[in-house]
Amino acid sequence: MLAGSFSAKAYSFFDTLLWIACLNLLWVVFSLAGLGVLGVGPATAAAQILVRRRVRGEAAPLLRSFAREYGRNFGRGNALALPVLLAGAALALNWNYFSRSGDLLSQLMAAGVFVAAIFLVAVACHVFPMFARYDLPLSQYLLMSSRFALRHLAGTAILLFVTAAVLFASRAMPGLIPFFSVGAWLYVTGWLCDRFFAANDESITGAAAEAATVGHAAGATLGTPAVTVGAPVA
């Protein structure tokens, strides 16, 4: 029994590791196919959709599914990614400008840019997993991701830690980048976000049921820390 259980867990671990490596390769190839800037968004959207399906236990051909979701979400993926990329570029330019000056005002501005950059990373961690899970108007994803990141600080801190860990490991071992770095980040953040969103949905459902029972719906809704996002994608 123990040997069988260990073998099953080992097989599952290495199967997931291989799946992550393939996802990493597909993300790189399809991002380059979109000339980088125009490929990152749809490649990330496709990857997070497939991560969610795998988390739910759905089996599908990885290459065929990735190509289909990439093409289907090319426009929407870019509409989500380009504002984040532009904001990141603007923050990087401002950081380089203010951090080089030694006066107090410049240092304060640099600190503000650093805080804004952390918040942008937090939003980026949430937005594509939210896109994979919920059916929302396109303009709502960045707004809801920002709200969720601010309201669920513990989960946001975990996602930021995962991001920092992946960046540190990739810098220490650059050989991980073409094989595992992006795929591992997409898989772990997607897996975590799916659980955060599920817990949030359960909290909303429980609060609504309690409000209906007590008969004070307005007060119960104001008292819950959950964020009402939208209907999950089937």
Side-chain angles (χ1 to χ4, degrees), residues 30-43:
F30 279 84
S31 294
L32 294 176
L35 303 179
V37 174
L38 295 179
V40 169

Side-chain angles (χ1 to χ4, degrees), residues 37-86:
V37 174
L38 295 179
V40 169
T44 305
Q48 288 294 2
I49 289 170
L50 296 185
V51 166
R52 182 169 184 253
R53 290 178 184 172
R54 183 173 178 86
V55 168
R56 296 173 66 183
E58 300 177 13
L62 185 56
L63 175 58
R64 187 184 310 168
S65 299
F66 195 103
R68 182 173 62 250
E69 296 299 339
Y70 178 90
R72 180 183 298 171
N73 296 290
F74 189 86
R76 288 164 64 83
N78 276 307
L80 291 177
L82 289 178
V84 176
L85 293 174
L86 289 173

Side-chain angles (χ1 to χ4, degrees), residues 194-232:
D194 194 66
R195 276 147 180 77
F196 297 156
F197 296 153
N200 179 75
D201 293 344
E202 290 175 4
S203 177
I204 292 172
T205 302
E210 182 180 353
T213 301
V214 176
H216 299 288
T221 303
L222 291 174
T224 178
V227 177
T228 303
V229 180

Side-chain angles (χ1 to χ4, degrees), residues 135-147:
D135 185 14
L136 300 173
L138 192 59
S139 60
Q140 291 295 306
Y141 284 107
L142 288 171
L143 174 62
M144 297 306 299
S145 296
S146 302
R147 288 184 60 194

